[in-house]
Amino acid sequence: MENCIFCKIISGEIPSTTIYEDNDFKVILDVSPATEGHALILPKKHYKDLDELDKSCGEKLLTIASNVGKALMDTFGYEGYNIVQNNGLAAGQTVFHFHMHVIGRKTGGESILTWTPHNQEQEKREELGAKLKETLTK
């Protein structure tokens, strides 16, 4: 995609700090990191979002994310890591080339992923679950 910033990074047109690369993926450091070492996993083939990602790419993705997360913990002393992936504008996706964030975390660190939990009755969960199950089995 000629106007995609991540495609330009993958092609080398825009410089980046690459920490891992193979035939299918490039992993770079985020230019606006949430924490030190915040990495982005980019498939080299352009996919708009998770829904477009092909199966072989998806199968490899979590292994890379795990390896990057472990490297963040080993290198920076993090106690855990978040894997973040947004799909669609309403979900916070700002670059429409599939990418996954791997963000190292320490206990007591700044909160970066929050929502307000709401109580929901079991009856309502059952109703919603039935609707979702019906959609998933079509």
Side-chain angles (χ1 to χ4, degrees):
M1 306 299 283
E2 66 185 52
N3 291 322
C4 174
I5 191 167
F6 288 160
C7 287
K8 290 179 180 181
I9 288 170
I10 290 163
S11 73
E13 186 178 335
I14 295 174
S16 64
T17 303
T18 301
I19 62 170
Y20 173 82
E21 187 167 7
D22 64 23
N23 290 334
D24 301 312
F25 290 92
K26 184 170 194 154
V27 182
I28 64 171
L29 293 183
D30 195 305
V31 296
S32 300
T35 62
E36 284 188 328
H38 176 165
L40 296 176
I41 303 172
L42 309 173
K44 289 185 174 180
K45 183 176 175 187
H46 184 92
Y47 302 99
K48 180 182 80 171
D49 57 25
L50 180 64
D51 297 332
E52 287 189 359
L53 199 65
D54 71 36
K55 184 179 177 180
S56 65
C57 192
E59 289 173 349
K60 193 172 181 183
L61 181 64
L62 286 181
T63 298
I64 293 171
S66 174
N67 291 340
V68 171
K70 289 173 191 173
L72 287 172
M73 292 193 308
D74 291 345
T75 304
F76 300 108
Y78 291 121
E79 300 162 65
Y81 56 93
N82 291 112
I83 295 175
V84 180
Q85 200 282 311
N86 302 319
N87 288 285
L89 192 58
Q93 186 177 7
T94 57
V95 178
F96 292 89
H97 178 125
F98 175 89
H99 58 287
M100 181 177 281
H101 299 258
V102 185
I103 305 167
R105 303 305 307 271
K106 289 187 178 180
T107 301
E110 179 183 356
S111 178
I112 60 170
L113 301 173
T114 61
W115 62 82
T116 304
H118 299 281
N119 290 326
Q120 191 172 67
E121 299 297 322
Q122 178 65 27
E123 185 177 306
K124 182 65 173 179
R125 287 194 306 274
E126 293 291 332
E127 175 189 331
L128 296 174
K131 288 180 181 180
L132 285 167
K133 187 174 182 178
E134 181 181 329
T135 301
L136 286 167
T137 56
K138 285 184 180 179

